Structures are given as C-alpha cells and as structure tokens.
Amino acid sequence: MIVSGLVIGYWFISVFVPNAKRERTDADRHAAQQRDSAPPVLAPPAEPPPVPAPIDPPPLPTRAWHEVLGVAPDAGRTDIREAYEAALLRHSPEDVASLTAEKRALARFRTRELHEAYEVALRARG
C-alpha cells in the first residue's frame, strides 16, 4: 500500500509539474551566474514631492474696531462682547477645517482681525 502511494505520488508530480524533473541547461546556468554576479541596478533617488508654500494672510486693514465688530462707536461693553462672540462663531477656523486652504487662511485672518478689534475696543472702554 505504501509503495503504491509513492508510485502514484511520483506519477502525479511528474505529470502535473513537468519542470520539477528538468535539468538545468548550460544556458540556464550561465544566465543565473550573470544575474547573480551583476551589480545591482539602483534606481535614481526619487525627488520628494514639492511642499506647497504656506498661505500668508493678507495684512490687517486699518478699519476701526467698531466697523470690524459691526457695532456703533458708542456701544457698551456688553454689546461689544456679544458682537465679538457672534462674529467669532461665524468665522471660527475650526468650522472650516475641511474646506480649502484659502478658506482656512481667510478664517484665521478674520479671527485675528476680530481679536485685535475686540482688544482695542476693551482698551477704549477702559
């Protein structure tokens, strides 16, 4: 039984895997020797992708604080604070995080403008 299994296994391998019995020819040996002895071909180093230039926000305009916040020049501290908080919610950089780089830069610019106008307004109101 064991002998018949070995014979059938040998026959199966010789029929379905014909290259297993094939001897290497001189041409195969020569090609393998050349492949093994040839120096490796190195690809030129890939250039890193270009880094996009950072988008600089435009310089702050010289608008009056009450124009930036959208309140009257003689507004009280509570009106100034409410206008500041409402404008800050409209132009929050976190809300536009998924938008384009230009829109994010514009939101950062507008937020910075609001902060500076609010500080000037609080200093003016004492």
Side-chain angles (χ1 to χ4, degrees), residues 11-87:
W11 173 82
F12 182 78
I13 290 176
S14 65
V15 170
F16 292 107
V17 186
N19 292 335
K21 294 189 330 181
R22 192 183 109 198
E23 295 257 344
R24 290 179 73 174
T25 63
D26 288 336
D28 292 337
R29 286 189 194 107
H30 182 67
Q33 187 179 21
Q34 282 184 340
R35 184 183 65 237
D36 293 341
S37 65
V41 178
L42 299 176
E47 293 185 25
V51 177
I55 299 174
D56 294 328
L60 290 176
T62 56
R63 295 192 309 168
W65 63 266
H66 56 88
E67 291 175 358
V68 173
L69 295 174
V71 296
D74 58 347
R77 290 178 71 90
T78 57
D79 293 334
I80 293 171
R81 188 186 73 236
E82 289 172 1
Y84 168 71
E85 290 173 355

Side-chain angles (χ1 to χ4, degrees), residues 104-121:
R104 290 192 309 263
L106 183 63
R108 284 192 304 270
F109 165 74
R110 182 73 173 135
T111 303
R112 188 178 67 170
E113 184 182 41
L114 288 169
H115 285 304
E116 290 182 8
Y118 183 65
E119 289 175 5
V120 170

